[in-house]
Amino acid sequence: MKMKRFLWACALGVALGSSAFMPLQAETLRVVSGTSSTPLNVPMNRAVVVESDEPFSELSIANPGIADVTTLSDQTIYVLGKVPGRTTMTILGADGALLSNVEVQVTPDIGEFKERLRQILPGENIEVRTANDGIVLSGTVSSSAKLDRALDLAHRYAPDRVSNLMTVGGTQQVMLKVRFAEMQRSVSKNLSSSLAMRGTVGGGSAATGLISGTGNFTQSSGAVSDVFDSGTVPISGESGAVNLGFTVGNMEFAVLMEALESKGMVRTLAEPNLTALSGQEAKFLAGGEYPIPVVDNNTVTIRYKPFGVEMTFTPRVVDGNLINLEIAAAVSAIDTSVTMTNGGFTVNAFKRRETSTTVEMRDGESFAIAGLLQDDFNDVNSQIPWLGDVPVLGALFRSASFERNQSELVIIVTPHLVSPTRGEALAMPTDRVRLPTESELFLMGKTSAQPVSGAAGEVAKQDFSGSYGYLME
């Protein structure tokens, strides 16, 4: 039994050894005299063997720069491809008669290119063909980044001779959600005082005077007299004032104390959404245009400056759900506190918050592309020299003001890969309200009627008092 197994092992080893050293047959083309020969395709820098059924005596190639020919025997020809192109090989018999004209076409070596393509981009459905002296790529790839990689590799094998017939599959439309959020807080405090006095001097003549830390008393002796006579305190539009009066001998004193504290808060929120195809620019403006007069050679023309919520972005789906965003966003408003007058025209200034950047993120991820935290502080203390430095009583001759402004701004972007849907599934803001009839308006006092039916009507059934939409706190 052991001897039988040994003999089988020896026989198998001899068979494998003989097959391992067996020479591989070269790719050949057989030429039959008197018949039209099929075109001979030769990869660049590769060789093909041509066999003739009759002995030949003469061999020539039309363009030796495209292919090189060598005779191995009187019936065998060795053809080597040099550069992509097309030429003709002529074979003559012993009597000088024409045996055959073989069309030789040298093409790029797509065998190696296909192998490299499978290694670099596995799983991609890319078909490779040759056309004339170039490479044709077709099929569907999963992203534009992989398409660019395939083209870069193809140009290595056929520079400037690559035809791209590939398409990019998957979702290639991007919806960008931008959130502008700004919070402004301001606090101001003022504390000031003024002192007025009146009395008699010597033989009974009256005298009035004013010592003021802020000047809120009207600066005239008649006005000071009115303070004592009427018991009122004239103040210039300020609130939070307290008047105190007292008499010392022949002198009358009036003290005005003013204290004012104000707080304010402003919240700005904007959330524009915009959808665009990958690689295409999209623009968005929700606002208006402000007319600005321009004087040129005594001629007044009007130019319009846009304001509101502006957005311009270009999305590029790089790979799968990876998105490259080139974005410019701005929020602007008319500032009525700053004006300029020229030639009878008054023009307001603008408040503007804008950013421009390029970021890369995946579907549904968010980036805070811009942020600002600004804190302005202003503290002013004014007083009458020397008198304001007196402890306690110096407060009557001193005024102080405090002001602080804080501003916080953030801009957040979130891209989403989107696909179109049926129009019936989309609800419009106008679907929530239907105009009332005359009886519903005048008799029932309703400003809106029941919403329409359908998918939009289901969404519109939500009441205005429900907890949906934005919550303003």
Side-chain angles (χ1 to χ4, degrees), residues 181-381:
E182 182 177 11
M183 186 70 70
Q184 296 178 351
R185 293 175 292 271
S186 61
V187 177
S188 62
K189 297 180 181 181
N190 294 280
L191 178 62
S192 60
S193 62
S194 298
L195 175 64
M197 57 185 177
R198 182 177 66 174
T200 58
V201 179
S205 60
T208 60
L210 176 67
I211 302 176
S212 176
T214 59
N216 286 331
F217 280 125
T218 304
Q219 300 293 322
S220 65
S221 59
V224 175
S225 299
D226 294 339
V227 174
F228 298 104
D229 296 338
S230 61
T232 61
V233 179
I235 55 177
S236 56
E238 298 293 336
S239 60
V242 177
N243 178 29
L244 300 176
F246 58 94
T247 301
V248 179
N250 293 330
M251 299 296 295
E252 296 180 82
F253 295 89
V255 180
L256 174 65
M257 300 292 295
E258 290 181 308
L260 180 64
E261 179 179 5
S262 63
K263 297 180 180 180
M265 184 175 65
V266 178
R267 176 182 177 181
T268 303
L269 179 65
E271 293 192 11
N273 295 340
L274 189 59
T275 302
L277 189 65
S278 176
Q280 301 297 317
E281 183 183 77
K283 295 182 179 181
F284 176 89
L285 172 63
E289 292 186 341
Y290 184 77
I292 299 177
V294 178
V295 181
D296 186 13
N297 296 329
N298 297 325
T299 302
V300 179
T301 59
I302 301 297
R303 294 182 182 177
Y304 292 90
K305 178 179 177 62
F307 68 92
V309 180
E310 305 174 62
M311 182 170 62
T312 301
F313 85 107
T314 303
R316 295 179 178 86
V317 181
V318 180
D319 189 4
N321 61 349
L322 186 63
I323 304 170
N324 179 282
L325 287 177
E326 183 179 347
I327 179 175
V331 172
S332 57
I334 299 175
D335 186 4
T336 57
S337 63
V338 180
T339 59
M340 184 191 71
T341 303
N342 187 12
F345 296 98
T346 301
V347 180
N348 295 317
F350 284 82
K351 293 181 179 178
R352 186 174 179 87
R353 304 287 189 270
E354 66 176 331
T355 180
S356 177
T357 184
T358 301
V359 294
E360 194 170 88
M361 67 194 82
R362 298 192 179 276
D363 178 21
E365 295 180 340
S366 298
F367 249 135
I369 61 173
L372 171 67
L373 180 61
Q374 184 174 354
D375 192 349
D376 297 330
F377 177 80
N378 186 17
D379 190 0
V380 178
N381 188 8

Side-chain angles (χ1 to χ4, degrees), residues 28-52:
T28 60
L29 174 69
R30 191 166 187 82
V31 177
V32 180
S33 178
T35 61
S36 58
S37 177
T38 58
L40 176 62
N41 293 320
V42 182
M44 187 174 61
N45 298 324
R46 297 292 180 89
V48 173
V49 176
V50 178
E51 294 182 351
S52 176

